[in-house]
Structures are given as C-alpha cells and as structure tokens.
Amino acid sequence: MIHTLMKEDGFEGILFPGNGSKDKEIIVMSGSNGGMNMAKHEAEFYHKNGIPAMSLALFKTKQTSPDLVSVTIEYVENAIRYLKEKYSEMKIINIELNGVYMIKQAMHLPTGLMKCPVMPNGL
C-alpha cells in the first residue's frame, strides 16, 4: 500500500497494488460523504481480487478541503499522471453521484492523457 500526499504529489490517495499487474488500474473517488473511508474500502476490494486500485479523496481529509468546493481539474490530473507512469490503462469509478464531476474533469484533461472510460457507480 502506498499513501500519496497533497504536498508531495498534488493529490491524496492510497494505492493498492493488487496482484502486481501493470496493465490496468482503477481509481475509486470518494462520494459526497468525503474522506477516504468508503473509497478505501472499495479499492481494497479490487486489490483483494488482484486488480490494482487507488482510492482518491476529493475532500474532508487532513490534506484536503473540509467541503466539496474548489476541487480543481489539476487535482484529478495529478492522480492520473502519477498512475500513468505505472499502468497502461485506467478506469475511474466513484461511489456516489460524483460521476458527473468526473466526466467533466476528464473532458478537460490534455488529449492522450487518459484513454479509458469514466464509469460512475461501478464497472
């Protein structure tokens, strides 16, 4: 398990390596509840089933805003760039209705940065 930090990496997440495969990675974003707890549990589920996964906290942690405001495109982009160095394919999943937010963010990423689908509420 690798814990990334806002100050060093530009986002806060926990990376679970799964079975060590480098061909795909799932990013699980927190829902409107914020924090890391729910996203971490879902990322651990994928990890236990051999799939590398990262839980990504959008807000309500020690490192992030207390409220779901001003989460920048760069915040999500930093997480994707970090993982792109390690994995060839990524999928983004969220726990609640933040799927609209994720789709909006993905639309503004530089061309070629992410070639995978953004999947709200599951695979």
Side-chain angles (χ1 to χ4, degrees):
M1 177 170 60
I2 301 169
H3 195 161
T4 61
L5 300 173
M6 272 294 290
K7 291 178 185 174
E8 298 162 14
D9 303 299
F11 66 97
E12 185 173 0
I14 300 174
L15 177 61
F16 297 90
N19 63 7
S21 172
K22 300 291 185 190
D23 62 337
K24 61 183 169 183
E25 158 72 22
I26 294 175
I27 301 172
V28 183
M29 296 174 104
S30 59
S32 60
N33 59 327
M36 185 69 77
N37 195 34
M38 295 293 290
K40 180 180 176 186
H41 286 302
E42 189 168 338
E44 283 179 312
F45 169 80
Y46 292 113
H47 165 72
K48 288 176 183 174
N49 286 281
I51 301 169
M54 172 180 275
S55 58
L56 180 63
L58 297 178
F59 70 105
K60 208 183 277 184
T61 68
K62 290 180 182 179
Q63 306 258 340
T64 59
S65 170
D67 301 304
L68 184 55
V69 294
S70 302
V71 179
T72 65
I73 293 169
E74 290 79 19
Y75 183 84
V76 176
E77 185 177 349
N78 289 339
I80 292 169
R81 286 187 188 282
Y82 177 89
L83 293 171
K84 191 169 174 81
E85 295 175 7
K86 299 169 178 26
Y87 300 94
S88 60
E89 180 183 327
M90 287 172 273
K91 292 183 177 165
I92 299 178
I93 297 173
N94 83 307
I95 295 171
E96 294 178 9
L97 296 175
N98 287 335
V100 173
Y101 169 79
M102 293 186 307
I103 291 167
K104 179 182 174 199
Q105 296 295 69
M107 287 173 36
H108 292 90
L109 293 173
T111 304
L113 180 59
M114 191 167 177
K115 61 179 181 179
C116 73
V118 175
M119 307 180 77
N121 295 319
L123 295 172

